[in-house]
Amino acid sequence: MKSFSIGSLAGMLGSLAGMGGGFVMIPMMTASRGLRLTQHQAHGTSLFAVGSTGLFGALAYGIKTGEDANNSNSTDMETPQQQGLVKLDIAVALTATAMITARFGAIASSKLSERSLKRALGAFMLFVAPLVPGKKYLDDWLAGKDSKDKQIQTQIETGAVQKQSNLQRLVPASFIGTFSGFLSGMFGVGGGAIVVPALVLSTDTPHHAALGTSLCAMVLPAIIGVLTHAKKGNVAWRVAPSLALGSAIGAYIGGKEIGLHLEEDVLRGGFGVLMLVLGGRTWRSAR
């Protein structure tokens, strides 16, 4: 029951932040009043639930395929509930490289001490906390420095550089997947903490779409990470199924009933606050 509750909370918060919920689960699983798992067990077990969070969270946001993924004009008059927000082509590009590096991240995790692993997790969370909320101010600053982006956007809208546009979207996603996969395997998270800020900062992907795409892209890398951690005995199978069930339900409700109805600024701010609070607590507990 306790693992199901932890999974439900983590899945709901994870779907709102475009993450697998590992950042929420791991501190609860290692706490004395939680599941009392070791740090390594918590990282490996959380990935089992991260896969279900990603799958059901992505379904809640809706899948966008084919020409719809590249045609924003056809959905200008649609609400987020009516249009698929998960950009499948970008998700595939993210997944392709993340599946390769997730295994190496899991191996690196097993070589760190409990204290070092916890401190590294806390430091990373504190690092990414201001990235997404600060994107709006970065955009304002860049707008006053360079007008080339407007010219490129005009060309894209007229179809003059459509093929180049597709390449420009997918190549960065592949590089992002390389880092997110490694972090996913190492920290037992979905990698959304790096995918969401990177997609928002490096592409024109709206925040809602970045959340859904990130969730979709974390499913297969999470499976690879679980298999690697399991070989090293770092998956607590007694709690993993209930944890995954709770995260699946929480992720779907969070994405479908809450995430689609919130403004982007609210989601961005919530992402930053969540990372700041959990990162600070994780860092302090490692002392």
Side-chain angles (χ1 to χ4, degrees):
M1 187 64 180
K2 189 179 292 185
S3 58
F4 178 83
S5 300
I6 292 174
S8 299
L9 178 61
M12 181 175 294
L13 294 177
S15 67
L16 296 178
M19 302 185 299
F23 286 133
V24 180
M25 283 184 277
I26 291 173
M28 292 182 177
M29 287 193 289
T30 57
S32 58
R33 295 184 180 181
L35 301 181
R36 297 184 179 181
L37 301 182
T38 67
Q39 193 69 29
H40 288 92
Q41 284 179 328
H43 284 230
T45 307
S46 70
L47 276 176
F48 192 87
V50 162
S52 62
T53 300
L55 176 60
F56 285 89
L59 290 174
Y61 280 100
I63 309 294
K64 179 183 290 188
T65 59
E67 295 182 357
D68 291 339
N70 302 322
N71 186 5
S72 60
N73 293 331
S74 63
T75 60
D76 285 344
M77 301 302 294
E78 295 178 347
T79 64
Q81 295 93 322
Q82 294 172 317
Q83 54 177 292
L85 291 174
V86 177
K87 297 189 176 182
L88 192 59
D89 54 347
I90 293 181
V92 170
L94 288 165
T95 300
T97 51
M99 288 179 63
I100 299 173
T101 55
R103 178 176 179 274
F104 295 105
I107 294 173
S109 173
S110 65
K111 295 182 179 180
L112 294 176
S113 66
E114 296 268 326
R115 182 170 179 268
S116 297
L117 189 59
K118 184 175 288 188
R119 293 194 70 176
L121 177 63
F124 177 71
M125 293 164 74
L126 291 173
F127 172 74
V128 301
L131 295 184
V132 168
K135 196 262 184 181
K136 180 178 180 181
Y137 302 99
L138 181 63
D139 282 346
D140 292 341
W141 181 76
L142 291 175
K145 292 289 184 179
D146 195 351
S147 62
K148 290 184 179 180
D149 289 341
K150 293 182 180 179
Q151 298 174 355
I152 294 176
Q153 183 62 33
T154 300
Q155 290 178 317
I156 293 175
E157 290 175 352
T158 58
V161 290
Q162 187 64 52
K163 292 184 179 179
Q164 182 181 6
S165 174
N166 291 334
L167 189 63
Q168 288 174 342
R169 290 188 313 117
L170 298 181
V171 171
S174 298
F175 282 106
I176 294 170
T178 301
F179 294 101
S180 68
F182 183 85
L183 294 173
S184 174
M186 183 174 186
F187 291 135
V189 299
I194 192 69
V195 172
V196 174
L199 283 180
V200 172
L201 291 171
S202 63
T203 70
D204 60 352
T205 304
H207 191 70
H208 280 100
L211 295 180
T213 304
S214 171
L215 288 166
C216 182
M218 68 180 61
V219 178
L220 292 180
I223 294 174
I224 299 298
V226 168
L227 294 175
T228 305
H229 277 288
K231 291 180 180 179
K232 298 182 179 297
N234 290 333
V235 178
W237 294 109
R238 60 184 176 85
V239 299
S242 57
L243 197 71
L245 178 61
S247 66
I249 295 174
Y252 191 81
I253 294 175
K256 191 76 171 179
E257 304 299 331
I258 303 176
L260 290 175
H261 301 278
L262 292 178
E263 296 291 334
E264 288 197 1
D265 287 345
V266 175
L267 290 172
R268 287 174 180 171
F271 179 95
V273 172
L274 180 64
M275 290 294 94
L276 189 62
V277 172
L278 294 178
R281 291 185 61 181
T282 302
W283 176 269
R284 288 197 302 271
S285 66
R287 292 181 178 179

